[in-house]
Amino acid sequence: MAKKVIEVKDLHVHFKTFSGTVQAVRGVNFELFEGETLAIVGESGSGKSVTSNALMKLIPQPPGIYAAGEILLNGTDLIPLTDKEMSKIRGNDISMIFQDPMTSLNPTMKVGKQITEVILQHKTISRSEAKIKAIELLNKVGIPFPEKRYSQYPHEFSGGMRQRVVIAIALAADPKLLIADEPTTALDVTIQAQILELMKEIQETSKTSIIFITHDLGVVANVADRVAVMYAGQIVEYGTVNDIFYNPKHPYTWGLLGSMPDLDNEAEERLYTIPGTPPDLIHPPKGDAFAARNEFALAIDYEMEPPMFKVSDTHYAKTWLLHEQSPNIEMPHIVRKRIDSFLAKEAMHHD
Amino acid sequence: MTKNKILEVKALKQYFQSGSTTIKAVDNISFDVYEGETLGLVGESGCGKSTTGRSIINLYNITAGEIIFKGKNVHTNKSKKEKQQFNREMQMIFQDPYASLNPRMTAGEIISEGFKIHGLYRNKQERQKKIYELLHAVGLNSEHANRYAHEFSGGQRQRLGIARALSLDPSFIIADEPISALDVSIQAQVVNLLKDLQKERGLTYLFIAHDLSMVKYISDRIAVMYRGKILEIGKADDIYHHPVHPYTKSLLSAIPLPDPLSEQRRVRIPYEHQEMPENATYYEVDEEHFVYGTEQVVNTWISSR
């Protein structure tokens, strides 16, 4: 069995604000094995970025508070660690790629220096050795003429090339876990495809585990082994990529899948939408947080929070619809139809 | 159904001077938009798609070419009356619902600003009635009229931007990436709204976006832009299912779909740009489906289709 790299248990992160305490993350559990990619999907405000920042202990305190839970990296809980102890873990064990390559690079520093800085911080090697390693890294992330590029500034790079530099920096100290927070959202589709290919290639050669945060379900289908769907600070559905895309159980997941057009949509067909907007997390609603937007909500949804129901060994969903006494409710027609057409195409491909 | 051309763009060039270099943001493009349809304009950032939209609505002084809207040349509108008429007929929805609404004005003021400029609905009650009607049309309610922009969510703000664009009863709307800044579930709400409004009011849209799957869904026809030129234009289904230009093929091959099994097999087609000689022009490969190139090159593309 593969080695467990990180395990998050019942994580709660709160923020103190003038208008009250925002419960941004409300009890998140997941684990990640070596060489595996977990995608966290959700809308803005669902807590996906707060969760990933918490893994790096990047939540500013105050106003942030790690209210409860554990983050176990190879069995050690990161939450009680001091800043000094954490700075050894950042880069070495866990590193991060951010959304906007424009703002995550220093515009006044040559690209090469930004990479060697990280290498020298984490490894006891000479400057000239660090330079050789940095050029190797630039080459590895697919930047042409790495020797020349080494002494250029970020503004001389295109958006896609800059994101490659950010990836090179993240890989500088050979981390075991890479957290990518919307790494391709700011990029064009063609560049996005190249960056995703690069990340998969790196994962194959170095067995890095990746946590991929995104709201783009197409990207999730492309990169993920497992998927966690987040809503209002909680994971509402968790499973392998095939579980989530071909056998979704949570009405929120149905909504996300249905609201995305595919290339075969009939023009006359309306997109399936999730009405309303996500709840206010200063006063999270009683019961199921999704109830108010859920056309399939049951009376109990307004009273009691549903537990995680087990669908299969790999697949869990937090909805009362899976309770044995609940009425038998099917996913919306448009979602069903699309899944059937995908599976039919797949069957045809095998014939 | 006979198709009326509502907008004709003829050999449009929009150059910008940056120091001693000239940037050819839009380089000799021509296309028509028919009444009541949605034309999608897609391409990567920097390809000139937004510039095209802004040139059409007269936000820039164009370098060369003609833009004919309802039979009149937009850039030679002389009298104030002609200009005002044009401004009423053509409106724009912007990408960023945060930056495009004045934070010091209430929703009602934002929507009714155009009324003052054009001297419409001078009677207060009449004006109020029209504001409420517009708010309802975009799925907001009358109470929202007295709120400020920051009191709305992103999706609601974009609805407000749409209400403002509709306030002068335009016939043509340029939507420049109207949903890119919104969450997935909200994107679908706004797209459905735009489609409903089109049906009710017989609007024509120029829909500018980089999200190809959404463009395919909303558009009747699609134009693919690259480096200031339109490389391929045709019916949405033809562009998606029978693309001819290698750039279109490459762009389509890069779209990730929410289908993990097919994603494992998807192979991206890389694109190598080939500069076209001066005599390159548009060739009709199917009905209403045009590709930019020389006759010889287009023929090789067709045979390799």
Side-chain angles (χ1 to χ4, degrees):
Chain A
M1 198 172 145
K3 211 175 120 205
K4 197 182 282 180
V5 176
I6 198 158
E7 186 172 4
V8 175
K9 285 184 179 169
D10 195 32
L11 181 69
H12 285 77
V13 182
H14 295 174
F15 292 91
K16 283 236 150 85
T17 68
F18 287 115
S19 35
T21 303
V22 180
Q23 302 176 30
V25 174
R26 307 187 298 141
V28 159
N29 295 286
F30 64 82
E31 52 191 25
L32 186 64
F33 295 95
E34 193 178 67
E36 194 184 45
T37 301
L38 170 74
I40 304 182
V41 245
E43 294 175 76
S44 34
S46 64
K48 55 191 197 304
S49 289
V50 176
T51 304
S52 65
N53 285 339
L55 298 186
M56 284 279 266
K57 290 282 294 294
L58 288 176
I59 307 284
Q61 303 180 71
I65 309 159
Y66 295 94
E70 289 176 311
I71 300 167
L72 300 170
L73 179 79
N74 299 322
T76 325
D77 188 5
L78 301 184
I79 288 182
L81 296 190
T82 61
D83 266 356
K84 211 171 169 187
E85 290 167 318
M86 257 328 280
S87 68
K88 282 196 194 117
I89 288 175
R90 292 189 197 119
N92 262 333
D93 294 294
I94 313 177
S95 70
M96 197 156 178
I97 307 169
F98 297 93
Q99 176 173 354
D100 189 354
M102 296 286 270
T103 48
S104 48
L105 291 173
N106 183 341
T108 66
M109 201 194 264
K110 284 178 182 165
V111 156
K113 189 161 183 227
Q114 301 193 45
I115 304 174
T116 52
E117 202 181 30
V118 181
I119 300 171
L120 292 168
Q121 180 77 36
H122 293 286
K123 291 201 157 83
T124 41
I125 56 172
S126 72
R127 276 180 188 282
S128 54
E129 283 170 320
K131 181 174 176 178
I132 294 167
K133 177 135 204 276
I135 291 173
E136 264 174 39
L137 278 165
L138 287 174
N139 195 26
K140 187 176 170 184
V141 296
I143 293 179
F145 313 110
E147 289 88 0
K148 187 178 148 218
R149 290 301 215 167
Y150 180 86
S151 41
Q152 285 186 335
Y153 288 96
H155 74 263
E156 297 173 79
F157 288 68
S158 67
M161 284 296 155
R162 266 186 223 140
Q163 198 59 299
R164 286 173 193 264
V165 172
V166 174
I167 294 174
I169 294 173
L171 295 175
D174 304 312
K176 288 161 203 76
L177 172 62
L178 189 61
I179 301 172
D181 190 354
E182 305 256 10
T184 60
T185 308
L187 305 174
D188 282 316
V189 266
T190 46
I191 312 296
Q192 163 172 289
Q194 293 169 21
I195 297 289
L196 297 180
E197 279 163 26
L198 170 68
M199 289 181 69
K200 281 196 255 184
E201 214 178 279
I202 289 165
Q203 184 169 42
E204 244 160 59
T205 51
S206 52
K207 292 271 167 268
T208 322
S209 308
I210 299 179
I211 294 181
F212 204 106
I213 292 158
T214 180
H215 64 265
D216 186 333
L217 291 166
V219 171
V220 175
N222 183 275
V223 299
D225 297 308
R226 282 190 298 146
V227 182
V229 181
M230 275 193 86
Y231 186 77
Q234 295 174 324
I235 292 177
V236 294
E237 187 159 7
Y238 185 68
T240 65
V241 69
N242 290 351
D243 289 337
I244 300 292
F245 282 88
Y246 302 125
N247 189 23
K249 291 292 180 194
H250 198 285
Y252 180 64
T253 315
W254 295 343
L256 284 183
L257 289 169
S259 59
M260 196 184 164
D262 64 51
L263 301 179
D264 298 319
N265 265 108
E266 301 295 322
E268 290 310 306
E269 213 167 33
R270 284 174 68 83
L271 293 175
Y272 183 74
T273 60
I274 307 173
T277 46
D280 171 9
L281 292 179
I282 293 178
H283 308 287
K286 192 180 168 195
D288 185 346
F290 186 57
R293 301 176 73 189
N294 182 3
E295 61 171 304
F296 308 105
L298 308 170
I300 190 170
D301 279 318
Y302 297 94
E303 296 299 325
M304 230 170 111
E305 198 182 311
M308 267 288 187
F309 285 96
K310 185 174 174 178
V311 182
S312 71
D313 282 342
T314 54
H315 188 184
Y316 298 84
K318 193 179 171 70
T319 165
W320 284 117
L321 294 181
L322 291 173
H323 191 270
E324 53 188 12
Q325 284 171 19
S326 92
N328 195 9
I329 286 171
E330 289 291 321
M331 68 179 83
H333 177 68
I334 179 168
V335 182
R336 176 82 268 161
K337 206 175 97 189
R338 182 175 313 168
I339 291 174
D340 287 345
S341 89
F342 283 152
L343 292 175
K345 259 189 230 161
E346 191 59 28
M348 255 165 60
H349 182 81
H350 283 293
D351 282 346
Chain B
M1 201 181 85
T2 52
K3 286 182 176 178
N4 290 329
K5 286 178 191 170
I6 189 168
L7 178 81
E8 292 169 66
V9 175
K10 290 182 180 169
L12 173 67
K13 287 183 185 171
Q14 183 73 62
Y15 295 175
F16 296 105
Q17 204 66 36
S18 163
S20 58
T21 52
T22 305
I23 294 159
K24 298 181 175 181
V26 175
D27 194 14
N28 200 0
I29 63 168
S30 303
F31 62 91
D32 299 327
V33 185
Y34 301 112
E35 204 166 345
E37 76 163 350
T38 301
L39 176 70
L41 191 55
V42 292
E44 296 174 58
S45 42
C47 73
K49 56 189 192 300
S50 288
T51 307
T52 304
R54 287 163 168 263
S55 300
I56 291 172
I57 203 169
N58 212 353
L59 287 175
Y60 298 131
N61 289 320
I62 61 173
T63 312
E66 278 179 69
I67 291 163
I68 316 241
F69 180 68
K70 292 200 167 170
K72 281 188 193 158
N73 190 327
V74 169
H75 289 261
T76 54
N77 276 344
K78 285 286 183 296
S79 70
K80 195 180 170 196
K81 206 179 151 200
E82 273 179 329
K83 279 182 187 162
Q84 282 212 339
Q85 183 57 30
F86 173 74
N87 290 345
R88 287 181 62 172
E89 292 269 355
M90 195 185 282
Q91 285 287 321
M92 195 151 180
I93 302 168
F94 297 92
Q95 171 171 9
D96 188 344
Y98 294 84
S100 60
L101 299 176
N102 187 337
R104 303 178 66 155
M105 283 164 83
T106 64
E109 285 166 350
I110 287 171
I111 295 175
S112 63
E113 198 181 14
F115 299 164
K116 277 184 211 150
I117 295 166
H118 293 272
L120 301 166
Y121 311 108
R122 293 225 172 95
N123 176 320
K124 196 183 168 193
Q125 267 167 349
E126 234 176 74
R127 193 164 63 229
Q128 204 67 277
K129 203 181 131 207
K130 182 72 185 171
I131 291 172
Y132 291 162
E133 187 193 308
L134 284 162
L135 285 170
H136 286 297
V138 298
L140 296 171
N141 45 44
S142 328
E143 297 139 40
H144 289 129
N146 296 320
R147 289 203 205 164
Y148 288 91
H150 74 264
E151 296 173 83
F152 292 98
S153 67
Q156 285 176 324
R157 277 176 218 224
Q158 200 54 295
R159 286 173 190 270
L160 201 51
I162 295 172
R164 173 177 61 187
L166 293 175
S167 64
L168 299 170
D169 293 318
S171 50
F172 190 93
I173 289 182
I174 298 176
D176 189 0
E177 305 254 12
I179 52 167
S180 336
L182 306 174
D183 266 319
V184 202
S185 71
I186 311 297
Q187 283 188 356
Q189 291 175 10
V190 172
V191 165
N192 281 346
L193 172 67
L194 286 172
K195 280 202 145 190
D196 292 345
L197 291 169
Q198 180 169 41
K199 232 180 255 168
E200 285 162 23
R201 298 169 183 243
L203 297 169
T204 307
Y205 291 138
L206 178 66
F207 191 90
I208 301 170
H210 69 270
D211 177 343
L212 290 115
S213 35
M214 210 45 113
V215 172
K216 157 75 169 62
Y217 173 68
I218 198 168
S219 307
D220 300 302
R221 290 190 306 134
I222 291 174
V224 181
M225 252 185 118
Y226 182 74
R227 294 200 190 171
K229 291 203 186 309
I230 289 180
L231 298 184
E232 188 162 4
I233 181 167
K235 288 181 193 155
D237 277 324
D238 288 343
I239 295 285
Y240 273 81
H241 298 298
H242 312 287
V244 171
H245 200 287
Y247 178 70
T248 313
K249 288 185 184 171
S250 163
L251 205 57
L252 290 169
S253 74
I255 308 173
L257 294 175
D259 181 11
L261 292 170
S262 78
E263 276 303 300
Q264 283 167 19
R265 288 192 307 269
R266 182 166 59 86
V267 183
R268 183 172 56 86
I269 307 166
Y271 174 64
E272 265 172 53
H273 186 60
Q274 186 183 355
E275 222 31 82
M276 285 293 150
E278 278 298 307
N279 64 351
T281 176
Y282 293 95
Y283 288 90
E284 187 162 15
V285 293
D286 282 318
E287 195 199 345
E288 283 186 57
H289 184 172
F290 297 87
V291 180
Y292 178 79
T294 58
E295 193 172 359
Q296 193 201 348
V297 176
V298 172
N299 280 333
T300 49
W301 288 338
I302 294 172
S303 56
S304 69
R305 179 150 78 155

